[in-house]
Amino acid sequence: MGTESYERLRVERPDLFVNRAGGIEILSDPEAVAEAGGVMYSDRYITLLRDPVRFPDGSTGTYIRSVGAAPEPGCAVLPLFDGGVVLVEHFRHATRSWHWEVPRGFGEPGLPPGENAAKELREEIGAEVLEVVPLGELHPDSGTTADRVALFAARIDGVGALETAEGIRGCVTVPFAEAEAMVGDGRVTDGFTIAVLMRARLAGLTA
């Protein structure tokens, strides 16, 4: 970790270090990078960076952000089955709470997003995909992370074994209108799920 890893990341993933006119400039001076810290933490899922930057008013400082370990986007996929949508009840460590969600996962190196979505469905709810419908991309938190997430809907053949080891304890198949009602009354608070439901509605996949 540190400055060497930071410079290696700059070479391997230049898209993460693009400077645009009028924006917050990432500085490349080695002394500035060393003072900022560069790569602060990294594992198989995320890398945490502290970038040396120049703000639009000319002042300098640092900015923290996280990036996915793989350049491929993560995925969130809305399963369509039996005239409704499938939601899983998933325990999330970060919030220490149970959430109603759609299946999702990190990007897998070398795996196209659509195949990654199908893999997540097999792993989380034991479903095989009959059709995948791309629904665009999402930046889940543009203030703190560089990650992109590919959104999909997928027609599936049914629901099988749940991935209980990851904290999934149940799933339901509900009409699309009921899933939206769960958003409206606060039973669904997960941002990925809310986004993919909206994109599915805009794409006409509500029936």
Side-chain angles (χ1 to χ4, degrees):
M1 291 188 287
T3 58
E4 290 185 8
S5 297
Y6 189 84
E7 292 305 322
R8 184 165 58 250
L9 187 65
R10 187 188 289 274
V11 171
E12 294 174 350
R13 299 181 61 182
D15 57 297
L16 295 175
F17 298 90
V18 173
N19 285 325
R20 303 189 188 280
I24 297 172
E25 178 188 1
I26 298 177
L27 305 177
S28 59
D29 177 70
E31 290 186 5
V33 173
E35 185 176 350
V39 175
M40 306 304 295
Y41 174 81
S42 185
D43 62 21
R44 59 178 293 195
Y45 299 110
I46 66 167
T47 296
L48 185 64
L49 306 178
R50 181 182 285 130
D51 298 300
V53 299
R54 179 178 291 110
F55 294 99
D57 67 358
S59 63
T60 59
T62 63
Y63 221 131
I64 289 282
R65 60 177 170 149
S66 68
V67 301
E72 289 79 6
C75 69
V77 53
L78 179 69
L80 306 176
F81 175 66
D82 197 23
V85 302
V86 179
L87 300 175
V88 299
E89 192 176 20
H90 202 150
F91 187 83
R92 290 298 181 181
H93 171 70
T95 63
R96 307 304 299 161
S97 300
W98 293 96
H99 296 269
W100 287 108
E101 302 178 347
V102 298
R104 71 174 192 258
F106 288 97
E108 290 286 339
L111 192 64
E115 294 181 22
N116 193 27
K119 179 182 75 69
E120 291 298 329
L121 289 173
R122 285 193 299 271
E123 292 177 353
E124 291 198 10
I125 62 172
E128 291 299 326
V129 170
L130 304 176
E131 179 188 10
V132 174
V133 181
L135 295 175
E137 288 190 344
L138 169 74
H139 288 98
D141 184 352
S142 58
T144 62
T145 177
D147 292 350
R148 297 174 296 128
V149 175
L151 303 179
F152 297 93
R155 304 188 192 280
I156 60 174
D157 64 352
V159 175
L162 304 180
E163 193 174 28
T164 57
E166 280 205 3
I168 297 174
R169 71 177 179 184
C171 70
V172 293
T173 302
V174 298
F176 197 95
E178 174 64 15
E180 290 186 315
M182 292 172 72
V183 174
D185 63 22
R187 283 175 288 167
V188 170
T189 60
D190 172 61
F192 296 99
T193 302
I194 294 170
V196 78
L197 284 167
M198 174 176 280
R199 289 284 182 87
R201 171 166 284 285
L202 293 173
L205 300 176
T206 59

